[in-house]
Amino acid sequence: MNDDSNENEKRLPAHIVKHPCFSAIASRSYGRIHLPVAPECNIQCNFCIRKFDCVNESRPGVTSRILEPIEALARVDEVMAGGSDNTVVGIAGPGDPLFNPETFETIRLVGEKHEDMLYCLSTNGLLLPDYVSTLKRLRVTNITVTMNTLDPVIGAKIYSFVKYDGNVYHGEEGARLLLQKQIEGIKAAVAEGMAVKVNTVLIKNVNFDEVEEIAKKISSMGVYMHNLMPVIPQFKFDASHRPSPEEIARLRERCGKWLLQMKHCRQCRSDAVGKLGSCDGSPSCSRSSC
Ligand code: SF4
Ligand code: SF4
């Protein structure tokens, strides 16, 4: 599937055609406002160092300043004042949005005032089944779930632990629980009419050979789009685990037989604002140059 020509933009709903991540065409015209209100995480991915933003959605090396929900509202007010081409408010970390009550309070506060925006979040999926109806009530229309494997044996190499309902699970047990919740949550979100994107972190010699199976599975579940992201070498994975651009392109070709591939992801910060890849102008931006 081709990310531009097969989108058939005119027949798709607004939460696709006006969302810069769910539509390559929309990314040329519209931007998003990420609100960094969710610092905590309930799992430990072996490619994540928690002092940075969640690497499922973000690049390491910069850390967002956490905002309180009321500060997040003020940021949206400021960005939207006097007109803006931002169409989406998203919560993408820096931890797992569903593990932080501030996420819901923020979407409620901002949603009451900015009714025309689309609302979106990314998650590891562990708590998604518990919160799909809450998200629906809050008018969240777009969800991204990071799913890295369908096999608990492989999952045991990717996740150190999974915390759920007061218990901590390790190894295959933790990976199995996470997978079960991801599948349950994705099905529930699709059934509620939400657009679901799945991110898969590509780790050579770990999950790389399984990725087409993931594409096949999520396509059968009604997932709209798949985003293959090369692992960022850190913590338990090094440069030997990172696939080359050519390897990623070949894999996208194969997975594209099953569902639309996202090729325009910029691995943004959890406080990014504006069109993908443009200067985000964020008050907490720590880069000295762009
Ligand atoms: Fe890190 Fe995100 Fe994984 Fe949590 S879900 S451990 S924040 S990469
Ligand atoms: Fe969109 Fe990728 Fe940035 Fe997320 S990380 S906002 S999917 S471009």
Side-chain angles (χ1 to χ4, degrees):
M1 290 190 191
N2 177 294
D3 51 344
D4 267 21
S5 58
N6 280 2
E7 280 188 30
N8 282 330
E9 299 277 342
K10 289 198 175 66
R11 276 182 270 144
L12 293 170
H15 63 275
I16 301 280
V17 296
K18 289 195 143 190
H19 195 306
C21 307
F22 281 71
S23 160
I25 296 172
S27 70
R28 296 174 205 146
S29 308
Y30 304 117
R32 47 44 184 136
I33 306 171
H34 277 179
L35 299 172
V37 297
E40 306 298 332
C41 192
N42 46 1
I43 71 173
Q44 177 62 61
C45 301
N46 287 336
F47 46 74
C48 176
I49 298 174
R50 292 301 319 287
K51 65 183 173 180
F52 302 133
D53 284 353
C54 173
V55 293
N56 286 332
E57 274 285 301
S58 317
R59 63 179 185 271
V62 282
T63 309
S64 306
R65 184 179 79 78
I66 304 303
L67 299 182
E68 294 298 327
I70 195 76
E71 294 176 297
L73 173 62
R75 178 168 294 177
V76 177
D77 288 346
E78 185 189 328
V79 172
M80 297 305 289
S84 158
D85 50 19
N86 291 297
T87 49
V88 178
V89 171
I91 317 272
D96 187 74
L98 297 181
F99 191 53
N100 294 265
E102 293 81 1
T103 293
F104 308 102
E105 176 62 3
T106 300
I107 298 175
R108 188 190 65 74
L109 269 177
V110 179
E112 277 173 7
K113 189 156 175 196
H114 297 273
E115 291 185 349
D116 294 339
M117 301 295 279
L118 297 170
Y119 290 86
C120 167
L121 59 78
S122 61
T123 174
N124 59 42
L126 184 63
L127 293 176
L128 190 53
D130 298 349
Y131 286 115
V132 164
S133 52
T134 306
L135 296 174
K136 174 81 178 173
R137 212 169 45 244
L138 290 169
R139 292 189 295 109
V140 172
T141 50
N142 300 65
I143 307 262
T144 293
V145 179
T146 299
M147 179 189 272
N148 299 317
T149 181
L150 301 172
D151 181 347
V153 176
I154 294 176
K157 297 178 189 164
I158 301 177
Y159 306 107
S160 294
F161 64 77
V162 169
K163 278 193 274 186
Y164 183 76
D165 214 10
N167 296 309
V168 182
Y169 302 89
H170 297 271
E172 290 176 37
E173 195 185 14
R176 191 172 292 110
L177 175 66
L178 178 62
L179 176 64
Q180 177 205 320
K181 295 291 182 184
Q182 288 171 336
I183 291 175
E184 212 181 304
I186 290 170
K187 285 181 176 169
V190 169
E192 287 291 2
M194 296 173 185
V196 178
K197 172 163 71 67
V198 163
N199 285 352
T200 299
V201 177
L202 305 177
I203 314 168
K204 270 176 83 172
N205 303 320
V206 179
N207 69 347
F208 198 75
D209 294 335
E210 193 208 352
V211 175
E212 192 177 343
E213 281 307 308
I214 300 176
K216 212 187 286 188
K217 171 81 178 169
I218 59 176
S219 168
S220 75
M221 290 160 58
V223 168
Y224 179 70
M225 181 180 252
H226 200 185
N227 181 16
L228 307 185
M229 315 168 87
V231 70
I232 293 164
Q234 59 177 5
F235 194 26
K236 297 198 181 169
F237 298 117
D238 59 28
S240 70
H241 293 102
R242 186 173 168 90
S244 68
E246 295 74 27
E247 288 171 314
I248 298 169
R250 282 198 294 273
L251 194 53
R252 281 191 180 134
E253 192 78 17
R254 280 170 37 211
C255 292
K257 286 184 298 190
W258 301 102
L259 78 168
L260 187 64
Q261 297 293 299
M262 180 179 191
K263 297 175 189 162
H264 61 290
C265 179
R266 306 302 289 255
Q267 289 187 268
C268 315
R269 299 165 54 137
S270 65
D271 63 355
V273 174
K275 288 186 197 166
L276 310 187
S278 65
C279 171
D280 60 38
S282 150
S284 61
C285 179
S286 57
R287 284 173 289 168
S288 53
S289 62
C290 298

